[in-house]
């Protein structure tokens, strides 16, 4: 009851007086992952400190430990975090388990409308239940899996000529996943400037979420669906459809024939390192890495290019990343935390966020006539955010993620069984979770 009382008092005060009228300066702690965008947010937040009088502290946790650390914090009702930039998949648990403050009344009172944000980010980061106007976060960081490639290698005349002789087409940004595989296989084991290079760095990590965030970029485009569109939690024939099986087989072939030796447990950091050190021609990774690529002396300055996840036989989709920013329901500083949300939502702050390397989800920023030309990767970001899908955002998200990590890794990396057996097993695992949740 204390939490509900605090939430009501905070929202009532804001509705009555507006966020600028916070009575006293308070120290706020914002919790997020430890990565480059977090450093940009620290810089951005200096403006909030100057204007509000509140001091900001930050608790940043490396991605491999982020979910365990922060979900434990929420589940225990801890008061470390006043603001949480939680992963998109946490929104169901954040809402249903009472971890996040519902923001509808605050948004209405302060002129913040979700119509001003990229629709996919509202659905992905803010809504629960999905596709209903119930908001538990403000879209904070738009992100999506895309591809980085060695444009300078692609443009070498001798490489172009050899590729065209072998494949009968120009070496260029791939229009399909099959073309991407051809390119990755073409570069696999190739000598470039006296160094042996490899095709592609892809997500293979098992311990947290890595291989799931990678394999879905093939599964979606080959026909995998999380459930029957007409019957929630009906999985048979959708999770393990013939197309889904073909997508999983594609990902395994890409791993087996076109990735660096020793890349059996790679995620964001390992892929960045492999690409920047000149080991691979292609890199799968979330879009957040692109500012760092451009700034890198080895691969930046026009040496790299960017493209959205290519189409497969059943369409073109990409795995959504990114996060929304929420007020933690256990915080005793909710009024000040809501001030931060209002400040962060301002168009001029969102524009500055993009300039610093953050990925704004505000339409006023991304639909500005100059946006697409503002960075070499800006158009790819826009194109990618238009094709996103996301993993389950159910309250039982973690129980759904673990078996997918295990089933997919065992098949793709360890070579155990068949793709059909892996996905059939996943149907059984997920069905059991939903039965335990009372949804079947």
């Amino acid at each position: 009851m204390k939490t509900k009382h605090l939430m009501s008092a905070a929202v009532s005060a804001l509705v009555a007086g507006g966020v600028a009228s916070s009575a006293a300066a308070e120290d706020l702690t914002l919790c997020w992952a430890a990565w480059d965008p977090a450093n940009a947010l620290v810089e951005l937040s200096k403006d909030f400190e100057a204007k509000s009088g509140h001091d900001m502290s930050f608790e940043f946790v490396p991605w491999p430990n982020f979910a365990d650390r922060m979900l434990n914090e929420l589940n225990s009702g801890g008061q470390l975090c006043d603001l949480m930039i939680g992963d998109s998949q946490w929104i169901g648990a954040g809402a249903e388990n009472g971890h996040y403050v519902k923001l509808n009344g605050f948004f209405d009172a302060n002129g913040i409308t979700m119509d001003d944000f990229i629709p996919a980010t509202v659905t992905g980061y803010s809504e629960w239940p999905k596709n209903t106007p119930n908001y538990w976060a403000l879209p904070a960081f738009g992100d999506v899996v895309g591809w980085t490639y060695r444009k300078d290698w692609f443009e070498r005349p001798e490489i172009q000529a050899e590729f065209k002789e072998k494949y009968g087409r120009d070496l260029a940004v791939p229009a399909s996943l099959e073309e991407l595989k051809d390119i990755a296989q073409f570069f696999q084991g190739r000598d470039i400037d006296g160094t042996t290079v490899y095709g592609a760095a892809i997500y293979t990590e098992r311990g947290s979420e890595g291989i799931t965030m990678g394999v879905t970029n093939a599964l979606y485009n080959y026909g995998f669906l999380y459930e029957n569109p007409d019957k929630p939690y009906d999985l048979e024939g959708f999770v393990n459809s013939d197309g889904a099986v073909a997508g999983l087989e594609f990902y395994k072939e890409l791993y087996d024939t076109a990735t660096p030796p020793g890349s059996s447990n790679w995620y964001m950091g390992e892929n960045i390192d492999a690409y920047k050190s000149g080991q691979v021609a292609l890199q799968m990774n979330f879009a957040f890495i692109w500012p760092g690529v451009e700034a890198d002396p080895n691969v930046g300055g026009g040496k790299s290019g960017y493209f959205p996840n290519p189409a497969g036989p059943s369409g073109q989709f990409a795995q959504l990343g990114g996060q929304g920013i929420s007020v933690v329901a256990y915080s005793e500083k909710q009024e000040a935390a809501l001030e931060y949300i209002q400040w962060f939502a301002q168009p001029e702050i969102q524009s500055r966020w993009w300039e610093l390397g953050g990925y704004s989800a505000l339409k006023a920023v991304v639909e500005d006539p100059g946006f697409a030309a503002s960075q070499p990767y800006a158009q790819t970001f826009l194109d990618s955010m238009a094709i996103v899908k996301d993993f389950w955002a159910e309250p039982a998200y973690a129980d759904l993620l673990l078996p997918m990590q295990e089933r997919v890794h065992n098949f793709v990396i360890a070579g155990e069984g068949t793709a059909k057996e892996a996905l059939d097993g996943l149907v059984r695992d997920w069905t059991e979770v939903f039965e335990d949740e009372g949804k079947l």
Side-chain angles (χ1 to χ4, degrees):
M1 294 301 295
K2 181 182 179 184
T3 295
K4 291 182 179 178
H5 172 74
L6 285 168
M7 181 179 73
S8 299
V11 173
S12 296
L14 288 161
V15 169
V19 295
S21 63
S22 181
E26 295 185 277
D27 293 339
L28 291 173
T29 298
L30 185 152
C31 296
W32 199 13
W35 58 335
D36 288 346
N39 299 327
L41 188 64
V42 172
E43 180 64 28
L44 183 72
S45 298
K46 292 177 181 177
D47 178 83
F48 173 76
E49 291 180 310
K51 291 176 177 175
S52 70
H54 302 306
D55 290 329
M56 295 296 298
S57 298
F58 300 90
E59 184 74 16
F60 297 146
V61 179
W63 273 112
N65 311 109
F66 177 56
D68 283 347
R69 174 70 180 85
M70 290 307 168
L71 291 176
N72 285 339
E73 176 70 20
L74 292 173
N75 289 331
S76 68
Q79 294 185 333
L80 169 66
C81 310
D82 303 299
L83 292 151
M84 175 77 75
I85 302 185
D87 233 350
S88 58
Q89 294 95 351
W90 302 2
I91 199 73
E96 292 197 10
N97 296 334
H99 300 324
Y100 294 162
V101 172
K102 189 174 183 181
L103 297 175
N104 288 59
F106 169 71
F107 287 166
D108 291 344
N110 290 280
I112 298 171
T113 171
M114 291 296 95
D115 292 340
D116 289 342
F117 292 84
I118 299 170
T121 67
V122 176
T123 302
Y125 310 153
S126 301
E127 292 178 352
W128 190 262
K130 295 298 183 185
N131 302 307
T132 71
N134 295 283
Y135 306 121
W136 306 88
L138 183 90
F141 188 86
D143 207 358
V144 57
V145 171
W147 292 85
T148 317
Y149 73 100
R150 288 300 299 265
K151 186 178 178 183
D152 55 340
W153 294 358
F154 277 45
E155 292 173 345
R156 293 191 181 190
E158 70 278 12
I159 291 178
Q160 289 181 335
E162 186 178 342
F163 184 87
K164 188 160 189 176
E165 181 178 355
K166 183 171 183 178
Y167 292 101
R169 67 175 190 273
D170 291 334
L171 176 57
V173 168
S176 69
L177 286 173
E178 285 295 329
E179 289 187 5
L180 183 146
K181 184 175 66 177
D182 288 344
I183 293 169
Q185 290 173 341
F186 173 77
F187 278 100
Q188 184 76 354
R190 179 168 295 275
D191 181 282
I192 296 198
D193 299 333
T195 300
T196 300
V197 305
Y198 301 94
I202 66 173
Y203 289 166
T204 58
E205 183 261 2
R206 178 168 180 160
S208 60
E209 64 174 13
I211 198 165
T212 297
M213 295 294 101
V215 72
T216 47
N217 296 280
L219 291 178
Y220 297 152
N221 295 351
Y222 275 81
F224 169 98
L225 295 174
Y226 284 104
E227 57 190 341
N228 182 343
D230 299 319
K231 186 179 179 183
Y233 311 113
D234 178 21
L235 312 178
E236 182 66 40
F238 298 91
V239 170
N240 57 347
S241 66
D242 290 345
V245 169
L248 187 53
E249 290 172 341
F250 168 88
Y251 202 76
K252 178 171 177 53
E253 184 181 358
L254 187 63
Y255 171 73
D256 286 342
T257 64
T259 60
S263 60
S264 62
N265 194 36
W266 284 15
Y267 197 16
M268 295 177 279
E270 291 83 1
N271 286 16
I272 292 169
D273 292 344
Y275 185 80
K276 287 185 176 180
S277 63
Q279 294 181 53
V280 292
L282 300 163
Q283 174 193 191
M284 162 190 281
N285 224 322
F286 284 110
F288 84 88
I289 71 157
W290 293 339
V293 169
E294 279 302 304
D296 188 85
N298 295 323
V299 297
K303 294 178 182 177
S304 293
Y306 313 90
F307 60 89
N309 191 48
S314 295
Q316 185 176 15
F317 305 98
Q319 174 60 50
L320 181 69
Q323 302 87 33
I325 182 169
S326 300
V327 175
V328 176
Y330 314 114
S331 167
E332 295 184 347
K333 304 171 184 176
Q334 291 179 20
E335 183 174 346
L338 287 164
E339 282 189 60
Y340 188 93
I341 299 281
Q342 186 182 15
W343 165 83
F344 186 72
Q346 297 174 92
E348 60 269 26
I349 299 302
Q350 287 291 302
S351 180
R352 178 65 175 153
W353 182 219
W354 168 251
E355 292 171 4
L356 289 172
Y359 280 63
S360 175
L362 190 70
K363 288 180 182 177
V365 175
V366 301
E367 293 179 357
D368 183 275
F371 180 83
S374 65
Q375 293 290 349
Y377 46 81
Q379 186 63 56
T380 299
F381 173 70
L382 291 177
D383 294 342
S384 297
M385 289 303 297
I387 59 171
V388 293
K389 283 192 177 186
D390 199 11
F391 187 76
W392 294 106
E394 293 282 328
Y397 141 77
D399 293 327
L400 297 163
L401 178 63
L402 290 174
M404 185 159 184
Q405 284 286 108
E406 181 178 358
R407 296 281 186 185
V408 171
H409 200 278
N410 285 352
F411 171 69
V412 171
I413 309 302
E416 295 179 7
T418 67
K420 182 69 163 61
E421 289 168 346
L423 293 175
D424 286 347
L426 189 57
V427 169
R428 294 193 298 271
D429 296 336
W430 283 357
T431 298
E432 183 177 340
V433 171
F434 290 127
E435 286 174 347
D436 290 345
E437 291 279 297
K439 294 182 175 179
L440 283 175

